[in-house]
Amino acid sequence: GQARIAVASNFGEVARLLADDYSRRSGHAIQVSTASTGKLYAQIGHGAPFDILLSADDTTPLKLVREGLAIEASLYDYATGRLVLWSRRPELVRDGEALLRAGTFNKLAIANPELAPYGAAARELLTRLGRWDALQPKLVLGENVGQAMQFAFTANADVGLLPRSLAMEAEKKVGGSSWLVPQEQYRPIVQSAVLLSRARDNAAAVGFLQYLRGDAARAVIRAHGYD
Amino acid sequence: MSPLWPAILVTARLAGLTTLILLVLGMPLAWWLARTRSAWRVPIGAVVALPMVLPPTVLGFYLLLGMGPHGPLGQLTGALGLGTLAFTFEGLLLASVLYSLPFVVHPLQAGFAGIDAAVLDAAATLRASPLDRFVSVVLPLSRPALVTATLLGFAHTVGEFGVVLMVGGNIEGETRVLSVLLYDQVEAMAYGDAHLLAGGLLLFSFLALLLMQRMGRRTVLAHE
Amino acid sequence: MSPLWPAILVTARLAGLTTLILLVLGMPLAWWLARTRSAWRVPIGAVVALPMVLPPTVLGFYLLLGMGPHGPLGQLTGALGLGTLAFTFEGLLLASVLYSLPFVVHPLQAGFAGIDAAVLDAAATLRASPLDRFVSVVLPLSRPALVTATLLGFAHTVGEFGVVLMVGGNIEGETRVLSVLLYDQVEAMAYGDAHLLAGGLLLFSFLALLLMQRMGRRTVLAHE
Amino acid sequence: MSDERQTDTGTGIEIELQHRRGNFSLDVALHLPADGVSVVFGPSGCGKSTLLRAIAGLEPEARGIVRLRDEVWQDEHHRLPAHQRRGGVVFQHAALLPHLSVLDNLRYGWRRAGGTAALLEEWIDKLELAPLLARRAATLSGGEQQRVALARALVSRPQWLLLDEPLSALDGARRAEILPYLEAIKRDAGIPMLYVTHSVEEVARLADHLVLLDAGRVTASGAALDVLNRPDLPLALREDAGVVLEARACHQDEHGLIELDTPAGRLHAHAPAARVGHRPGTPLRVRIQARDVSLALQAHTDTSLLNLLPATITALSPLPGGQVQIRLDAGGQLLLARVSHRSVERLDLRPGLQLWAQIKAVALLV
Amino acid sequence: MSDERQTDTGTGIEIELQHRRGNFSLDVALHLPADGVSVVFGPSGCGKSTLLRAIAGLEPEARGIVRLRDEVWQDEHHRLPAHQRRGGVVFQHAALLPHLSVLDNLRYGWRRAGGTAALLEEWIDKLELAPLLARRAATLSGGEQQRVALARALVSRPQWLLLDEPLSALDGARRAEILPYLEAIKRDAGIPMLYVTHSVEEVARLADHLVLLDAGRVTASGAALDVLNRPDLPLALREDAGVVLEARACHQDEHGLIELDTPAGRLHAHAPAARVGHRPGTPLRVRIQARDVSLALQAHTDTSLLNLLPATITALSPLPGGQVQIRLDAGGQLLLARVSHRSVERLDLRPGLQLWAQIKAVALLV
Ligand SMILES: Nc1ncnc2c1ncn2[C@@H]1O[C@H](COP(=O)(O)OP(=O)(O)OP(=O)(O)O)[C@@H](O)[C@H]1O
Ligand SMILES: Nc1ncnc2c1ncn2[C@@H]1O[C@H](COP(=O)(O)OP(=O)(O)OP(=O)(O)O)[C@@H](O)[C@H]1O
Ligand SMILES: [Mg+2]
Ligand SMILES: [Mg+2]
């Protein structure tokens, strides 16, 4: 069989690895399409031929269920993202919290809190630290985490509050310095998956969701910086 | 690099077909806009340019609305037994054409407007019908405008990605074009791949643009 | 609707300034491209069009690389004591100009190419210097091309959003333009707001385009 | 106004056109012969080009009738578009196709009209276009452009030639070379021509029918001889006034001098080099300009004035500048002479006086 | 080739230009007077327009020298661009600015040259442009465009007028109206003119200096009278051959007949209406065309031929078509007569024969 999975951009790379692995094991063909969660939502509402949604949040799948476009029973939290304060400058981030309090950087890149769960988490963290208002002039907003990452990666922003998955990737490439934000500082960034109604009887799709719950998949996901 | 080939094929097909359709549609429209004295000239000229002022994704969103099962276009295609156009190559083509239309129509219009009526009159007295005059006089004389239109139409379709992403749904082999692939690579921090792809795209496009400009000139010299 | 006003202001400023700069830069460049016999004509024409074939966000990414502290442009502006251009209005302006350049240069080039040399010769014998001829003969005679260039340049800047998003960093009152706002609304599934904003933008742009086309005509008739 | 002799449907040319352009209005009704040259003559701005354009179908707002023999190009009910009217137009400004070579300009109409290779070659030869064939229009001199435009119209197999000052940019020598070809077309091909010119010489040589146009209205239209000889018309006041006689060649001596039989008597004339070799009996046309006719009370044979015609003065009319135009009756044929007022006094010239009209053979235009 | 009489730097005009365009090459060296009309005459395609364009600075690749009095427009070292050469050019195709009204076309150069309102009005008046002022170039007739182009050059306060067939699209009447104004400019304003024309009449009336051009080379250049009277030149072979005499008005009768003192003797001539009223002593120029001169063995006074000059035949040269060109010596002045070969035989014309040259007063062109 064959299935198309719609994946939030930030998880696209991992999803492709998983899809390949799953295809090798099951013989089913999986096609991965990536876009922002908002776009995927709009597309699904207008008849996009997707079978599974791997969302960047846990609210969009629920919304789809409520609208009858997805199957409630299939809801599954496939990953929990972690927030990292990353800088390309190797010396900059030692004590992240202190750095955020001091504000000794030119710009802080985050994803747009209205659009991206990681952005919302960053806002929550800064609010808790009492720095949200004070840091406003230094904030630059990416449309998604990818863009926020590019702001920091190109060193146009000294620091960024980013997904650990991307920060690991960046560190691999250019080093830099980072601080893993403690999970208590923000509500967990839960990313959930859901089977879309049109794929109710799609063995390949149902099988992929099954596979996602398995140890092999979980190991891959964890290796890429998700809890 | 396995996802590259399907994307190249889709891109080439999309850009080629879009440019072709744009020229075929754009030429009569531009000719009309350039020559008519109708009061509709100005508003219609503005309407053609209008899709440009919307951000591509937003335009894509509205196209999606229109093409979806509940949208007017979707209902039409549905009634015709064609299903919906969204997420198909045809839908992508339609969206691209709509979005790149002004880049073709307006330069052509400006070019056509400059053609000396006396020369067209002369051609008419030499038995050339209106269509014949258009092909044998107007087109060769508006070569710079034609090259511009082709060039802008083509390049814009290659680079366009907001509408494509929205209407096409990034489906490999069908609607995933190079621009979307490149976007994905950058998002995924696959910068190495992205540099390579961007470099290749630029080089290829540069050569294509060069060729286009030169061919435009050749064709005309060989004409008649 | 409080975020609307700053976005409107930034957009108007950006589109206005970009169009102005584009016309100022584009006219001599287009004139050169239209009249030179240099072998550089074709490749330079292609280079001008090249930014278009990259998806805007990708172009934005490369601009960010270039403008960043390690990029060539960033090192230049740094050495000049200007800091980096990213996330500033000036940076945004630079990016917009670069990206919309072909929409202005190419139509102008096509228009300029059609001007009869005999008329320019006549003006020269009537004591008009090259600049004077450009202003008093070339520009009025290429009115359709000028309108097209202004229209495409303006509309494209208003609608452009990928580059803006990337280089601008979406800072309210500084770099957040309407197109980004609209995009955000669609992404955030705030479709009601989006419909309103898109409708308003379309209506306003329609009126602006109408006015532009009419003004273009008036100015010329009043000329000389 | 217009001469109504050829109203027979199906044979002549009928033109009835109304057209406004700004303050200018054209309003003409003409019947022209379908097998000769009709020259349109009139001051600058009188509407000659507009008339030709309207006939060719290039003024879509011109209303009226255009009929060539039994082919209706336009009437109240329908209107052929320009490309379906088989007219061959030479525009006042050559209007060559700027993107094509000279050869391709020629071939443009020729191919569409299905001309033969021979036709194309013939006119390339006659108008000496061979060295220009590969060139673009913009690189041609003014006169070269005009020759190409003429050839382009001629090879498009027109049923009616509409020529707007086709020779105005040519030097005298070229003009003299090309005129005979136009005369030959008129004679051999039977293609009617409507010919706009400012040159009285061209009128005299080509016109079968002459239309005088002024401010968009026809002020005279008729057989060229009649109109040219009407002394009350503006033309007669012009320096080039004269009469045109139908003649017949009788004899040509070894030096090229031709003896002609004319209604006014036997005349001697020289034929231009290009036209030496007239058979006896060939019908010819001689133009006698008023300025070339001198008057003598006796017949002097010791002068180089070879032509002496007995004549009677019928009228004298003063002209501006101290000159007098004299109408003569020479064997029933009208002649015009222009002399000084002083001569009128000295010779006591008056109506009824019998005398001799003297004309140099080299002054006669055949 | 060129006459080298005016080599004095600072007063004359010096032109030395080389230019290639495709197969055509222009190579001229000319000295022209700086205060008269130099007419350039030559067949179509010989390079007249190219020469004018090069002088005006419109052919950037033309090399050489252009100097007007002490103002150097171009030499080996530097080259003024076209807009800094103060030439007034009338192009063969009027080249009006298509986006401007007639008035704005006139004002274009006028304003840039700092002309006065009076100057503008003067030429609008003289060339009767008032009714056209608001119109666009494209709506003008061919002749109207030419008039506007002429006025446009004249109001731009040129130091040198470069006119490329400025009257070719005009009818005879208009031409006759405008010529006197050009003559007046030449007389009054002291602006030199370089005048391209195909019309021998314009040559005769305007030229002080005549340049014959052929295939890009100067074949003759000199005072107009000398060149016009040189019988070995192509011009002399043309139908319009003749001689031009410098004359002085003596007396004008009440009818407008002028008595002229010429080197050949006393002549009677008519002045065109526009030029009635010559004071005694006014220098004038008379042209006597060979075709208008008849020969008589005795002086006949009973004819309308008012002018009888005693003359001696100096040479006979046969022309094509059975005509003979005869050179006469009339009181030391060369005259040309063209007669039939038959007359030569009949009157036994031969060198040395003394006879009378007869010329009609109305045939003399003043
Ligand atoms: N749009 C217009 N508005 C006003 N008058 C116009 C317009 N178009 C043409 N005319 C006038 O119509 C008249 C006829 O023009 P046309 O070109 O037919 O003249 P023509 O007889 O060919 O003159 P020429 O011998 O100078 O070529 C001219 O007086 C011209 O000014
Ligand atoms: N690019 C070119 N290639 C070849 N020949 C050229 C080119 N441009 C001009 N010529 C030739 O140069 C010659 C001179 O042209 P020019 O226009 O000066 O002639 P002209 O004396 O003004 O003729 P006319 O009386 O017909 O206007 C012409 O024979 C023309 O064909
Ligand atoms: Mg005309
Ligand atoms: Mg010329």
Side-chain angles (χ1 to χ4, degrees):
Chain A
Q2 186 199 354
R4 285 186 172 135
I5 58 177
V7 182
S9 295
N10 72 312
F11 197 69
E13 271 309 292
V14 189
R16 281 198 188 93
L17 291 176
L18 294 173
D20 286 349
D21 187 41
Y22 169 68
S23 294
R24 254 197 315 280
R25 288 162 191 250
S26 68
H28 292 307
I30 300 288
Q31 275 193 337
V32 175
S33 296
T34 54
S36 71
T37 305
K39 285 194 195 79
L40 293 172
Y41 169 78
Q43 289 173 338
I44 290 165
H46 292 93
F50 299 136
D51 300 310
I52 292 172
L53 171 66
L54 299 190
S55 176
D57 58 13
D58 55 355
T59 53
T60 304
L62 260 179
K63 223 159 142 188
L64 287 171
V65 166
R66 248 180 268 129
E67 288 164 10
L69 291 168
I71 296 161
E72 178 160 23
S74 68
L75 280 171
Y76 168 59
D77 300 340
Y78 65 92
T80 304
R82 289 297 305 273
L83 204 57
V84 163
L85 182 68
W86 182 79
S87 169
R88 184 159 179 170
R89 287 160 56 180
E91 78 294 347
L92 190 61
V93 184
R94 300 231 170 73
D95 181 346
E97 193 172 325
L99 182 64
L100 288 176
R101 286 188 193 283
T104 50
F105 44 80
N106 67 348
K107 295 281 179 196
L108 168 61
I110 64 171
N112 190 332
E114 307 294 336
L115 307 181
Y118 288 93
R123 177 172 59 190
E124 194 181 342
L125 165 69
L126 295 174
T127 311
R128 262 177 215 232
L129 296 177
R131 302 292 298 149
W132 176 247
D133 289 329
L135 282 177
Q136 276 304 316
K138 302 211 160 183
L139 287 184
V140 284
L141 308 187
E143 239 21 75
N144 50 42
V145 289
Q147 274 186 13
M149 183 68 232
Q150 286 152 32
F151 293 160
F153 187 83
T154 58
N156 283 295
D158 281 341
V159 285
L161 281 166
L162 303 161
R164 181 166 62 181
S165 54
L166 291 182
M168 283 166 60
E169 192 65 35
E171 225 145 68
K172 238 192 282 166
K173 288 190 191 332
V174 294
S177 52
S178 63
W179 170 60
L180 180 66
V181 181
Q183 179 65 75
E184 342 44 285
Q185 300 279 28
Y186 57 97
R187 256 171 291 154
I189 303 162
V190 176
Q191 306 194 185
S192 51
V194 71
L195 187 68
L196 300 174
S197 300
R198 70 190 290 274
R200 196 182 301 273
D201 302 320
N202 186 332
V206 174
F208 183 76
L209 276 179
Q210 210 77 50
Y211 163 80
L212 209 52
R213 294 169 193 258
D215 289 340
R218 296 190 56 77
V220 172
I221 292 171
R222 209 167 293 125
H224 280 87
Y226 297 92
D227 282 348
Chain B
M1 282 284 122
S2 72
L4 198 57
W5 277 113
I8 288 178
L9 287 181
V10 174
T11 304
R13 214 151 67 97
L14 182 67
L17 277 174
T18 303
T19 311
L20 201 76
I21 294 175
L22 279 172
L23 287 175
V24 169
L25 288 183
M27 285 196 297
L29 180 55
W31 182 246
W32 181 82
L33 285 171
R35 294 275 148 170
T36 186
R37 290 179 199 164
S38 153
W40 288 100
R41 196 182 68 82
V42 174
I44 288 186
V47 164
V48 169
L50 217 48
M52 294 175 59
V53 304
L54 288 184
T57 3
V58 176
L59 181 67
F61 173 66
Y62 284 108
L63 283 176
L64 207 54
L65 277 183
M67 287 177 180
H70 310 298
L73 192 62
Q75 302 216 319
L76 181 74
T77 54
L80 293 173
L82 298 171
T84 57
L85 286 175
F87 314 112
T88 63
F89 182 77
E90 289 72 26
L92 207 56
L93 198 58
L94 181 70
S96 280
V97 165
L98 192 70
Y99 188 51
S100 294
L101 195 61
F103 302 115
V104 171
V105 169
H106 283 282
L108 284 180
Q109 179 186 347
F112 291 163
I115 289 183
D116 187 1
V119 170
L120 290 175
D121 283 351
T125 67
L126 295 167
R127 322 263 184 285
S129 67
L131 182 66
D132 187 352
R133 296 202 285 278
F134 187 76
V135 173
S136 64
V137 179
V138 175
L139 291 187
L141 282 180
S142 4
R143 185 177 60 78
L146 262 172
V147 172
T148 294
T150 313
L151 197 140
L152 293 184
F154 183 84
H156 193 255
T157 310
V158 170
E160 204 291 301
F161 111 106
V163 174
V164 163
L165 190 60
M166 201 68 179
V167 173
N170 195 1
I171 298 169
E172 181 170 339
E174 183 135 7
T175 62
R176 181 182 298 155
V177 292
L178 279 179
S179 59
V180 172
L181 188 65
L182 184 55
Y183 173 77
D184 279 355
Q185 287 174 349
V186 172
E187 289 288 277
M189 299 184 67
Y191 297 135
D193 289 352
H195 293 342
L196 228 77
L197 183 50
L201 196 60
L202 285 177
L203 187 72
F204 169 79
S205 304
F206 180 73
L207 294 178
L209 293 176
L210 272 194
L211 201 74
M212 216 178 288
Q213 296 202 8
R214 279 194 191 284
M215 264 200 351
R217 171 163 289 179
R218 281 267 172 66
T219 320
V220 172
L221 281 181
H223 188 83
E224 282 279 324
Chain C
M1 282 285 124
S2 74
L4 200 55
W5 279 113
I8 288 178
L9 286 181
V10 174
T11 303
R13 214 152 67 97
L14 182 67
L17 277 176
T18 302
T19 310
L20 202 75
I21 295 176
L22 280 173
L23 287 175
V24 168
L25 288 183
M27 285 196 296
L29 181 54
W31 181 247
W32 182 81
L33 285 171
R35 293 275 148 168
T36 185
R37 289 181 199 163
S38 153
W40 289 100
R41 197 181 68 83
V42 174
I44 288 185
V47 164
V48 169
L50 220 47
M52 294 176 59
V53 304
L54 287 184
T57 26
V58 174
L59 180 67
F61 172 65
Y62 284 109
L63 283 175
L64 273 186
L65 273 182
M67 288 176 176
H70 308 298
L73 191 62
Q75 303 216 320
L76 181 74
T77 54
L80 294 173
L82 297 172
T84 57
L85 287 175
F87 316 125
T88 63
F89 183 77
E90 290 71 27
L92 206 55
L93 200 55
L94 181 72
S96 278
V97 165
L98 191 70
Y99 189 51
S100 295
L101 195 61
F103 301 115
V104 172
V105 169
H106 282 282
L108 284 180
Q109 179 186 346
F112 291 164
I115 289 182
D116 188 0
V119 171
L120 291 174
D121 283 351
T125 67
L126 295 167
R127 322 264 183 282
S129 67
L131 182 65
D132 186 351
R133 297 202 286 276
F134 188 74
V135 173
S136 63
V137 179
V138 175
L139 291 188
L141 282 180
S142 4
R143 186 178 58 78
L146 263 172
V147 172
T148 293
T150 313
L151 196 142
L152 293 184
F154 183 84
H156 193 255
T157 310
V158 170
E160 205 290 302
F161 109 104
V163 174
V164 162
L165 208 64
M166 207 61 185
V167 173
N170 199 359
I171 300 170
E172 183 169 338
E174 182 134 9
T175 63
R176 180 182 298 157
V177 293
L178 278 180
S179 58
V180 172
L181 192 65
L182 185 53
Y183 173 78
D184 286 355
Q185 289 173 347
V186 171
E187 286 287 281
M189 304 165 210
Y191 297 141
D193 289 352
H195 293 341
L196 228 77
L197 183 50
L201 194 61
L202 283 178
L203 188 70
F204 169 79
S205 304
F206 181 72
L207 294 178
L209 293 175
L210 272 193
L211 200 74
M212 213 178 290
Q213 297 203 6
R214 279 193 192 284
M215 265 201 348
R217 171 164 290 178
R218 280 265 174 67
T219 321
V220 172
L221 281 181
H223 187 84
E224 280 280 324
Chain D
M1 291 277 174
S2 64
D3 75 325
E4 301 286 324
R5 284 174 300 182
Q6 288 133 324
T7 42
D8 40 339
T9 315
T11 59
I13 291 173
E14 191 188 351
I15 302 169
E16 226 186 283
L17 284 167
Q18 290 90 42
H19 186 40
R20 284 200 72 84
R21 289 175 70 186
N23 287 332
F24 173 78
S25 83
L26 182 77
D27 189 349
V28 301
L30 286 169
H31 290 274
L32 306 175
D35 54 359
V37 178
S38 300
V39 167
V40 180
F41 194 89
S44 173
C46 71
K48 305 180 295 297
S49 300
T50 309
L51 174 62
L52 249 63
R53 288 178 51 84
I55 292 172
L58 299 172
E59 298 283 349
E61 279 142 40
R63 294 277 153 263
I65 298 169
V66 178
R67 184 178 54 71
L68 168 62
R69 299 198 188 93
D70 49 2
E71 238 181 274
V72 177
W73 284 7
Q74 167 166 2
D75 64 14
E76 300 82 15
H77 309 297
H78 84 308
R79 195 183 164 282
L80 286 184
H83 69 279
Q84 285 170 10
R85 308 187 176 194
R86 305 198 39 197
V89 184
V90 174
F91 295 89
Q92 198 168 1
H93 300 291
L96 300 183
L97 302 173
H99 57 301
L100 300 182
S101 68
V102 166
L103 179 60
D104 287 336
N105 263 283
L106 297 180
R107 286 169 55 199
Y108 192 92
W110 169 80
R111 228 183 28 195
R112 285 165 175 80
T116 60
L119 178 69
L120 192 61
E121 279 159 26
E122 179 190 340
W123 284 107
I124 290 175
D125 256 27
K126 285 185 177 165
L127 299 181
E128 296 176 43
L129 300 176
L132 307 177
L133 291 179
R135 300 249 301 274
R136 290 282 176 119
T139 72
L140 301 180
S141 83
E144 289 164 348
Q145 287 180 25
Q146 223 174 24
R147 270 152 62 210
V148 175
L150 187 58
R152 184 177 67 170
L154 290 169
V155 299
S156 75
R157 306 209 309 164
Q159 296 189 331
W160 191 2
L161 275 167
L162 303 168
L163 311 176
D164 200 348
E165 309 193 29
L167 307 183
S168 69
L170 296 175
D171 54 296
R174 277 270 180 222
R175 216 180 278 216
E177 272 167 47
I178 293 178
L179 265 176
Y181 294 124
L182 292 180
E183 289 175 312
I185 294 178
K186 163 186 150 181
R187 208 172 42 231
D188 308 336
I191 303 172
M193 285 186 220
L194 198 61
Y195 193 103
V196 171
T197 182
H198 286 308
S199 150
V200 181
E201 187 200 340
E202 288 168 32
V203 175
R205 286 205 37 190
L206 288 176
D208 294 310
H209 193 99
L210 182 54
V211 177
L212 300 188
L213 205 60
D214 197 20
R217 303 291 181 279
V218 174
T219 55
S221 167
L225 299 187
D226 297 351
V227 176
L228 276 174
N229 297 345
R230 251 144 84 177
D232 59 310
L233 285 169
L235 211 57
L237 288 171
R238 296 167 40 79
E239 310 245 325
D240 324 77
V243 298
V244 178
L245 313 185
E246 296 288 4
R248 222 160 254 291
C250 309
H251 173 76
Q252 186 159 18
D253 78 2
E254 73 278 18
H255 301 298
L257 194 69
I258 319 178
E259 258 177 56
L260 300 167
D261 248 345
T262 77
R266 180 111 348 162
L267 288 177
H268 294 89
H270 285 273
R275 312 204 300 166
V276 168
H278 288 296
R279 296 266 187 74
T282 314
L284 286 172
R285 191 183 274 185
V286 214
R287 174 145 172 266
I288 306 177
Q289 285 182 277
R291 69 189 283 286
D292 287 329
V293 178
S294 57
L295 303 173
L297 301 181
Q298 295 170 38
H300 299 290
T301 52
D302 67 340
T303 77
S304 67
L305 295 155
L306 284 184
N307 297 307
L308 288 178
L309 298 173
T312 309
I313 293 180
T314 58
L316 294 91
S317 36
L319 295 176
Q323 305 185 5
V324 178
Q325 182 110 308
I326 299 186
R327 302 187 59 151
L328 300 164
D329 178 327
Q333 166 68 47
L334 170 78
L335 289 183
L336 293 180
R338 184 182 296 181
V339 301
S340 297
H341 198 274
R342 159 105 37 122
S343 295
V344 173
E345 288 174 351
R346 204 171 58 152
L347 306 181
D348 189 19
L349 302 180
R350 59 190 184 277
L353 184 69
Q354 297 202 346
L355 36 53
W356 297 85
Q358 320 181 107
I359 312 147
K360 290 188 69 176
V362 298
L364 288 183
L365 302 170
V366 183
Chain E
M1 289 281 177
S2 64
D3 76 323
E4 301 286 326
R5 284 172 300 180
Q6 287 134 323
T7 42
D8 40 339
T9 314
T11 58
I13 290 172
E14 190 188 352
I15 300 168
E16 225 186 284
L17 284 167
Q18 290 90 41
H19 186 38
R20 284 199 72 84
R21 288 176 70 188
N23 287 332
F24 173 79
S25 84
L26 182 77
D27 189 350
V28 301
L30 286 169
H31 290 275
L32 307 176
D35 55 358
V37 178
S38 300
V39 167
V40 181
F41 193 89
S44 171
C46 72
K48 304 180 294 297
S49 300
T50 308
L51 174 62
L52 249 64
R53 288 177 51 84
I55 292 172
L58 298 173
E59 298 282 349
E61 278 144 40
R63 293 279 152 262
I65 299 169
V66 179
R67 185 178 53 72
L68 169 61
R69 299 196 188 94
D70 49 1
E71 237 183 272
V72 177
W73 284 7
Q74 166 166 3
D75 64 12
E76 301 81 16
H77 310 299
H78 84 308
R79 197 184 162 278
L80 287 185
H83 70 280
Q84 284 171 10
R85 307 187 178 195
R86 306 200 37 198
V89 184
V90 174
F91 294 90
Q92 197 167 2
H93 301 290
L96 300 182
L97 302 173
H99 58 299
L100 299 182
S101 68
V102 166
L103 179 60
D104 286 336
N105 262 282
L106 297 180
R107 286 170 53 200
Y108 192 92
W110 170 79
R111 226 182 31 196
R112 284 166 177 81
T116 61
L119 178 69
L120 192 61
E121 278 158 27
E122 179 191 338
W123 284 107
I124 289 174
D125 258 26
K126 285 187 176 164
L127 298 181
E128 296 177 43
L129 299 177
L132 307 178
L133 292 178
R135 299 249 301 274
R136 291 283 176 118
T139 72
L140 301 180
S141 83
E144 288 164 349
Q145 288 181 26
Q146 224 173 25
R147 270 152 62 210
V148 175
L150 188 57
R152 183 176 68 170
L154 290 169
V155 300
S156 75
R157 307 210 307 164
Q159 296 189 331
W160 191 3
L161 275 167
L162 303 168
L163 311 175
D164 200 349
E165 308 193 27
L167 307 183
S168 68
L170 296 175
D171 54 295
R174 276 269 179 222
R175 217 180 277 215
E177 272 168 47
I178 293 178
L179 266 176
Y181 294 125
L182 292 180
E183 287 175 313
I185 295 178
K186 162 186 151 181
R187 209 172 42 231
D188 308 337
I191 303 172
M193 285 186 219
L194 197 61
Y195 192 102
V196 171
T197 181
H198 286 307
S199 148
V200 181
E201 187 201 340
E202 288 168 33
V203 175
R205 287 207 34 193
L206 288 175
D208 294 310
H209 193 98
L210 182 55
V211 177
L212 301 187
L213 205 60
D214 196 21
R217 302 291 180 280
V218 174
T219 56
S221 166
L225 298 187
D226 297 351
V227 176
L228 277 174
N229 297 345
R230 249 145 85 177
D232 59 310
L233 285 171
L235 211 58
L237 288 172
R238 297 168 39 80
E239 309 246 325
D240 324 77
V243 298
V244 178
L245 313 185
E246 295 287 5
R248 225 160 250 291
C250 309
H251 173 76
Q252 185 160 18
D253 77 5
E254 73 278 19
H255 301 296
L257 193 70
I258 318 177
E259 258 177 56
L260 300 167
D261 247 345
T262 77
R266 182 114 341 166
L267 287 179
H268 294 88
H270 284 275
R275 311 204 300 169
V276 168
H278 287 295
R279 297 264 187 75
T282 315
L284 286 172
R285 192 183 274 185
V286 215
R287 174 145 172 266
I288 306 177
Q289 285 181 277
R291 68 189 284 286
D292 287 328
V293 178
S294 56
L295 303 174
L297 300 181
Q298 294 170 38
H300 299 291
T301 53
D302 67 340
T303 76
S304 67
L305 296 157
L306 283 183
N307 297 307
L308 288 178
L309 298 173
T312 308
I313 294 180
T314 57
L316 293 91
S317 37
L319 296 176
Q323 306 185 3
V324 178
Q325 181 110 307
I326 298 185
R327 303 187 61 151
L328 301 164
D329 178 327
Q333 165 69 46
L334 170 77
L335 289 184
L336 294 179
R338 185 181 297 181
V339 302
S340 296
H341 198 274
R342 161 107 33 124
S343 296
V344 174
E345 287 174 354
R346 206 173 54 154
L347 305 180
D348 190 18
L349 302 180
R350 59 189 184 278
L353 185 68
Q354 297 201 348
L355 36 54
W356 296 86
Q358 319 181 108
I359 313 148
K360 291 187 69 176
V362 298
L364 289 183
L365 302 169
V366 183

